[in-house]
Amino acid sequence: MDLPHLLWNAVPPWAAVVFFAVDLVIRLLALGTIPHNRRPSAAWGWLLVIFFFPILGGLVFLLLGRAELPEARKAKQREAARRVDAHGPGAEAKEVREMPDWLAETVRLNQHNGAFPVAGGHRIEVIDDYDASLAAMAEAIRAAEHYVHFEFYIAVADHTTEPVIAALEEAHARGITVRVLVDHLGAAGYPGYKDLVRRLEAAGVDWRRMLPVRPWRGQYQRPDLRNHRKILVVDGEVAFTGSQNVIDRSYNKKKNRKQGLQWIGMTVRLQGPAVEHLDALFATDWYCETDEMVLGADRAPVEDPHEPGPGELVCQVLPSGPGLGQESNLQLFNHLFATARERITVCSPYFVPEDSMYTTLRTAVGRGVAVDLYMGATSNHALTHHAQRSFYEQLIRDGIRIFLYQAPWVLHSKFVLIDENAAVVGSSNMDIRSFVLDHEVNLLVSGQDFVGRLDELVDDYRQHSHELQLADWLARPWYQKYLDNTARLTSALQ
């Protein structure tokens, strides 16, 4: 008698009955509970997992099945938002009196979804050199006179980030108020994180882990709900945000260095009313971790709030995240895709479109809009990368052009260009994680000069990319197709 039969005969009859009863109950409960207030694609994904692995899948669903923060955390976010509103950041911002219809509609949509007021008078610089962006941040920190607010998904101490970390230490040493937020699980797995913690604590810098998962200290929430924002504010006068983390461009992993992987990011340096809005967003996240509201606490009095802004660009700050109750970044992107008249350019390291986004892009092509996607030919996230690849055939057949940045470079820039007038830059990817699970921040910017600067960046990316052709894609090995299709089943889970 073979081993399976021996094991089966060793199981008491009552245990087999209990096992099958539990199995059946889990499946029946899943059918009636998982689809509740969930998009059909996500429901089907979870049901598939549970029907294949009822007990294990059921346990995973209980842990990860709801993209919601604990009630206490959501209450703190609401209280922080109330206090920010009471402070009124941006109340003195230069009002945008005349806006084209598309911009006015977009602004209204964003404000309905929790965005800050739109304002003019901005100067925004695009920094596409990895080391130069860190040098610019370090320079701004060294010039601080009142305070530094530093919030990054990933931040570590290594030879590349040394100018930034040293500048934080030096600013604190000369009496500047320095506050640091780093996502706990986002950063903890990277070499250099422990060195950062050691240096911040040795220097006496006030810092916190964002969304900590330390149940032994009473700190716990769903572990894959993360704070993916990248924000640096100095004195309320200058801010940095974008796609780049504060870590070496190899992300300090041995496997990355073995493959020669090097990240390409993009950061924007801005001045104008949106700086205060980004500061208010930092203050919200700081309050959620400390119960301390710091908005405006360390700023020098503004001599004349009616002075003209430093530039001409119109900008609006749009936060998003699981505690805000709606997929505000997804709604923004879909609205802009639907209003585009000439072209849509998307640059994203992870492009796994939600159903509505795919339909909106496909419809845009049908209206005569040119749609170009820029992504990396390689990635460090295998599951997401294969899920992304599973859409390539459909996208190409629909008339969407795909440009893959050459390996071993990892294209990590995140922006969207609409016609010649609008751009969105920030931390958000084009996948369900950024739409539902992560706290993100994006800037809606209106201005031909700014869009033109990003167009120059796109031209540079195109020179280092190849356009994916359908015949070449269909000729890839069968096992890659299998992996792509299997990974696609996980793309809607939330």
Side-chain angles (χ1 to χ4, degrees), residues 13 31 75 87 100 130 147 169 244 320 344 373 440 451 461:
L31 281 174
H87 184 275
Y130 200 97
Y147 69 91
E169 293 171 326
Q244 187 173 322
S320 61
I344 298 169
L373 304 182
E440 307 282 5
V451 175
Y461 289 169

Side-chain angles (χ1 to χ4, degrees), residues 447-467:
Q448 289 188 0
D449 290 344
F450 183 73
V451 175
R453 172 66 181 90
L454 289 176
D455 274 331
E456 293 176 0
L457 190 57
V458 170
D459 289 340
D460 178 69
Y461 289 169
R462 186 182 294 115
Q463 293 178 17
H464 295 88
S465 304
H466 72 273
E467 183 174 359

